[in-house]
Every structure is written in C-alpha cells, then in structure tokens.
Amino acid sequence: LNRVKAHKNSIMLRLRRVLYSESDVQKFQASNPYNVNYTGLYGTQQGGMSKESLLCSLKQRLPFIKTLRKEDVPFKENLSKSLFEDHMLGSGKRYQKCAIVSNAGSLINSKSGYFIDDHDLVLRFNHAPTDGYVEDVGMKTDIRIVNSKVASNPKFEFLSSPRFRNVTILVWDPCSYSSSLKEWLASPEHPFLEPFMKHRKLYPKNKSYILDPRQLWTLYDYLQAHTPVRLRPNPPSSGLLGLALLLPHCNVVNMIEFVPSVRLTQRCHYFEPFMDEHCTFGVWHPLAAEKFLMINMNSASDIKTYQNGYVSIQGFNTLKC
Ligand code: C5P
C-alpha cells in the first residue's frame, strides 16, 4: 500500500509539473497551428467539482459523439446511408461494462488480458496489436479509433491488416478550431479520405465512420473549462475522445493505463521498443490535463488505479444530472 501511495504522489507531482510548466505552454502557444481561440472561463479542477458534476457538465456539452453524415461527404458514390447515422453505436445501445485500452508501455506485464476481455465492449486505438500480447491486453476488440495518419500511411496497413476488419472503426483527423466541414474536407491534415473510401469498398459490411472533427474542439473547450491553466492549443488525445464516445452507452467505463500504474515505463507503446515519456505525460496533446480530469472522475480505489492500472468512470445513464 505504501508503494502505491508513493507512486500516486509521484504521478500527481509529475502531471502537475507538466500542466504548470510555463515554458512549455509559452512555446506551444507561440505556434497555434489550429488557430485555437478559446474565450471561455478557465476551470478550477483540483477539488473544485464532484465527479458527478464533471460528468454532467460533459453530458451537457457532448451528449454523444457525432460522425459525418452522408450529406457532409463530397462523394458521388452510392454510399450506404446506415453507415452515416448520427449515433455510430445506435442511440439506444447500452452496455454494462466497457474498457478502453491505452497503448501505453505500462501494459507490459500487467496481466490485464482476462480483465479486459471480460468487458461487454472493448475499445482500442490505431494499429495496437493483440496477437502476441493477449496475456497483458486481451483480444476482444469491438471498436478501433484510428487517427488519419494511421489510416493514410501505407506502413500501418489500414487496407490490408485484419486488425481493421470486423471491428467498428472511427477515423479522426483534426480541423482548425473554427473551420467549417467544407474547409476541413478540402484540406485535411492527412489524406485519409481516399483510403477510408477504399476500405469501405473492400469491406462494405464493416462499420466504419468518420468523426465530425468539430467535436474535438467541443471536447477541448470542455477540458479547458475544467483546467485551471491554459492548455496547449492542440486537439485532445484519442483517449479522451474514446471516453466521450463511450460514456453515453456504458454504465461504467474502465480506462486501462491512462493514469500510469506502478508499471510506468519510458516506453511509448506496449508493442514497440521506442522510448518517449512524452507519450505518457504529454507534450503535444493536452495529456496532463486529460489525465487530471480522468483522476477527478475516477471512482476506483488507489489500489485499482495505481496497482491494477485502471480508472473507473460512471456512464451518463447512471447519473442524476
Ligand atoms: O499513441 P497512441 O495515440 O496510438 O495511443 C492511443 C491513446 O493511448 C493516446 O491517445 C493516449 O490517450 C493513450 N496513451 C497513453 N500513454 C501512452 C501511450 C498512449 O496514455 N504512453
């Protein structure tokens, strides 16, 4: 227990240092590639609000995550309308327990596989493999959130790898803070539209969606409204997007190794030897603020959070907002 408490303190200290590191914030704000122009209030996250209020406030801003609709997409092909519904998971669909598996290196030796696979719905990110890592990360995969770099760079095999088949896919690409869909579609950050459409043609039965990118900035505004210091002006990470996607559909969402457990490592990903602690504590995405938010929404004990490696967040339907 002492080891867990000491680890918790060191993680909180680390996150706080990143959040408040002024030189970083100035550096990031000097370049503002997405033209972020936040005019709302800054929050008082630390101890300021109960988990229920934080979640109710998110529910109010983002009752569900919107994906592009058929009329939004500039394609002439005859696309199945059902794949462009407002609610990618179906508006009334409910699950008891959902898991979101981060790609963090700290999953190594976690032996979380059984725990993860025991959930009713499991969400993973990008090209994260399960083969060869089942003991630590499980194998059940219902949804993959895929960034536009992974969808467009052939090295990630979006069109050929079985990882991207028989699984609901949500592809995302950031737009500028105030840009319209039309402006964004004319010049997305990565050229994902063509591979996305190819994927649709190759696997017409696969459920594949594109995020309405303005949702990222709604999520960013929410995060800023609950963070006491200015955030770096970049979109939130796909981890926070996954949480916002699942909260309307799950009674509880367990987020695995987002708040780093005692297995914290310098490795960026559990499936690659590449070392970079910024993947965990954040430099580009406002990761430290996201992790504070998750800690403030968490109902799991310290042992579960820092030893077992997950935070538990109550779904919208369980709240009296
Ligand atoms: O690195 P990648 O974007 O593929 O990881 C998916 C998500 O997992 C990230 O958006 C982030 O929220 C989380 N992650 C993390 N710590 C890491 C690596 C990833 O929290 N070391």
Side-chain angles (χ1 to χ4, degrees):
L1 191 63
N2 282 343
R3 182 167 164 242
V4 167
K5 285 240 149 72
H7 175 75
K8 174 184 175 178
N9 290 340
S10 83
I11 292 292
M12 297 296 266
L13 206 70
R14 189 74 194 270
L15 289 173
R16 206 162 283 142
R17 207 175 289 148
V18 176
L19 194 63
Y20 287 89
S21 94
E22 278 177 35
S23 54
D24 266 11
V25 172
Q26 277 163 6
K27 186 176 93 195
F28 277 93
Q29 275 159 0
S31 82
N32 184 0
Y34 299 98
N35 295 315
V36 173
N37 175 27
Y38 178 82
T39 51
L41 296 171
Y42 296 171
T44 50
Q45 198 185 98
Q46 272 74 344
M49 274 171 97
S50 69
K51 342 183 219 302
E52 290 78 13
S53 324
L54 279 172
L55 286 161
C56 287
S57 157
L58 179 58
K59 183 180 179 184
Q60 201 178 14
R61 284 182 191 239
L62 265 179
F64 63 92
I65 289 290
K66 285 188 194 141
T67 48
L68 290 197
R69 289 174 306 168
K70 194 178 174 188
E71 54 268 34
D72 298 325
V73 187
F75 294 113
K76 306 227 167 11
E77 288 102 313
N78 199 10
L79 300 169
S80 156
K81 189 166 181 342
S82 68
L83 288 175
F84 287 93
E85 281 163 359
D86 267 358
H87 293 70
M88 73 178 249
L89 296 174
S91 61
K93 196 89 182 133
R94 300 274 178 271
Y95 301 86
Q96 170 55 29
K97 282 195 305 182
C98 302
I100 306 185
V101 188
S102 84
N103 287 348
S106 45
L107 271 149
I108 297 169
N109 295 328
S110 68
K111 309 240 183 321
S112 300
Y114 275 120
F115 173 73
I116 292 171
D117 283 348
D118 191 37
H119 287 74
D120 304 305
L121 182 146
V122 178
L123 185 156
R124 300 181 195 268
F125 298 96
N126 296 325
H127 56 302
T130 53
D131 283 356
Y133 303 89
V134 172
E135 200 180 357
D136 289 333
V137 307
M139 55 201 286
K140 185 173 162 63
T141 309
D142 299 285
I143 302 179
R144 260 185 206 273
I145 294 188
V146 179
N147 67 38
S148 54
K149 187 172 158 189
V150 168
S152 61
N153 185 333
K155 135 175 151 191
F156 297 106
E157 303 181 325
F158 180 61
L159 295 178
S160 57
S161 165
R163 271 173 219 165
F164 302 107
R165 262 175 256 161
N166 301 318
V167 53
T168 299
I169 287 177
L170 176 64
V171 176
W172 71 283
D173 177 89
C175 63
S176 282
Y177 190 74
S178 312
S179 83
S180 67
L181 279 184
K182 216 173 151 191
E183 286 164 337
W184 165 68
L185 282 165
S187 60
E189 189 164 279
H190 294 282
F192 72 96
L193 280 168
E194 203 187 313
F196 179 85
M197 294 314 296
K198 276 195 185 142
H199 190 276
R200 290 285 297 267
K201 281 201 187 116
L202 284 169
Y203 316 108
K205 292 214 170 108
N206 204 78
K207 291 183 160 242
S208 317
Y209 302 83
I210 298 171
L211 176 76
D212 179 333
R214 296 169 300 187
Q215 303 274 279
L216 291 168
W217 297 112
T218 310
L219 199 52
Y220 178 93
D221 288 353
Y222 166 79
L223 186 63
Q224 180 65 89
H226 296 289
T227 302
V229 292
R230 277 181 78 174
L231 298 178
R232 47 211 69 203
N234 292 324
S237 82
S238 53
L240 191 64
L241 175 63
L243 179 65
L245 177 72
L246 294 192
L247 283 174
H249 299 282
C250 308
N251 288 348
V252 65
V253 178
N254 290 324
M255 304 193 71
I256 326 290
E257 291 291 355
F258 283 88
V259 173
S261 71
V262 290
R263 289 175 296 278
L264 173 67
T265 144
Q266 300 223 328
R267 268 206 200 206
C268 180
H269 292 143
Y270 67 82
F271 49 88
E272 284 167 341
F274 171 63
M275 304 269 191
D276 187 353
E277 281 210 313
H278 291 142
C279 298
T280 305
F281 292 100
V283 152
W284 196 82
H285 292 295
L287 265 187
E290 293 177 22
K291 291 183 188 211
F292 263 122
L293 182 73
M294 291 168 192
I295 289 171
N296 288 327
M297 289 174 166
N298 182 20
S299 26
S301 65
D302 282 352
I303 293 282
K304 285 185 174 148
T305 305
Y306 297 98
Q307 176 76 51
N308 301 6
Y310 66 93
V311 293
S312 284
I313 303 183
Q314 290 302 121
F316 290 161
N317 300 308
T318 66
L319 304 166
K320 290 199 181 73
C321 294

